[in-house]
Amino acid sequence: MDHKNKKQESNFWKGDPFTGFILGAIVGLIVGSINIATISFPWLGRLCFLGIWLFVGTQPRFKDKRTPEQIAKDKEERDQKFEEIREQAKAREAERQATKEQKREAKMQKNELKLQKNQLKIQKHQLKNRSKIKCPKCRSTNVQPLGVHKKGFSVGKAVGGTILVGGVGSLAGFAGKRSKKTDFVCMNCGKQFKK
């Protein structure tokens, strides 16, 4: 059995050729880039790559000295750590989603409270206006507005202004144009009036 393992093991690659290849490639790229920018020594990056790959791959001190059981155990521990990290990430994501949901609900409640406050303000304003305006016939406060009333040109005011002031007095006919009145109707007796 040991004889078969010895045959399978290479006499040349006694170290870790895979790690040597990766390390040599990284160092070779860095040295090659610096070489191109500054020194311009031909093949310097490739030579560094080959030297590191051969050195790490052939030296037995770089060989993994763990037993297959230790390698399997280390792999299980690594996989378990990765699983714990994944679970922690999922827990953090779930917590983040819960926090977003709580903020959304709090915002909706705040908006609902604002709507309720605005409705209360409108109701107070309506009650205040209803208490001020009363029907002249039955004294009821159950009145509704119909529309805004504007006064037009008044012939009587124009004639009176002309007599009192002269030619400019005809402008007095427009004096009532700015005053706005609203038409109301009493919901109890049906009387229409202006205020």
Side-chain angles (χ1 to χ4, degrees):
M1 187 96 176
D2 291 332
H3 186 62
K4 285 183 181 178
N5 287 340
K6 284 182 182 176
K7 279 185 179 178
Q8 288 177 353
E9 286 182 11
S10 172
N11 290 331
F12 184 74
W13 296 108
K14 295 178 182 175
D16 189 1
F18 180 74
T19 305
F21 183 85
I22 299 296
L23 187 63
I26 292 170
V27 172
L29 283 172
I30 293 170
V31 170
S33 300
I34 293 170
N35 179 36
I36 289 171
T38 57
I39 305 168
S40 296
F41 185 79
W43 299 75
L44 184 62
R46 293 178 188 174
L47 291 174
C48 287
F49 161 67
L50 285 173
I52 291 172
W53 182 25
L54 290 173
F55 181 74
V56 174
T58 57
Q59 297 299 315
R61 63 180 161 180
F62 294 108
K63 188 162 180 81
D64 192 2
K65 295 180 173 101
R66 296 177 298 171
T67 63
E69 292 84 17
Q70 287 176 335
I71 292 173
K73 185 179 177 184
D74 290 346
K75 185 177 183 292
E76 284 179 15
E77 288 177 0
R78 194 169 50 246
D79 291 343
Q80 188 177 6
K81 284 181 183 176
F82 283 141
E83 191 62 36
E84 288 175 4
I85 291 170
R86 281 190 208 106
E87 288 176 5
Q88 288 174 356
K90 285 180 184 177
R92 279 196 300 268
E93 184 63 30
E95 188 176 318
R96 201 174 298 127
Q97 290 293 335
T99 306
K100 282 183 182 178
E101 193 64 35
Q102 287 174 352
K103 285 181 181 177
R104 193 177 301 127
E105 287 176 6
K107 193 173 183 179
M108 287 175 64
Q109 288 176 350
K110 196 174 183 181
N111 287 341
E112 287 177 11
L113 285 173
K114 281 183 182 179
L115 283 172
Q116 289 176 355
K117 283 181 182 178
N118 286 341
Q119 287 175 349
L120 286 174
K121 281 182 184 178
I122 291 170
Q123 287 175 355
K124 283 181 183 178
H125 185 67
Q126 287 175 348
L127 287 173
K128 191 176 180 182
N129 285 344
R130 281 185 183 170
S131 62
K132 285 182 181 178
I133 300 170
K134 294 181 181 177
C135 175
K137 186 176 180 184
C138 66
R139 308 301 294 167
S140 171
T141 57
N142 188 12
V143 293
Q144 292 290 324
L146 287 177
V148 177
H149 176 71
K150 290 185 179 180
K151 283 189 175 179
F153 181 79
S154 173
V155 178
K157 285 184 183 179
V159 172
T162 306
I163 292 171
L164 290 174
V165 182
V168 185
S170 62
L171 294 177
F174 293 102
K177 198 153 182 130
R178 286 191 183 176
S179 65
K180 294 179 182 178
K181 290 190 175 182
T182 306
D183 293 330
F184 290 95
V185 63
C186 177
M187 301 306 286
N188 286 348
C189 66
K191 169 97 172 138
Q192 290 187 3
F193 59 96
K194 295 180 177 104
K195 277 258 182 183

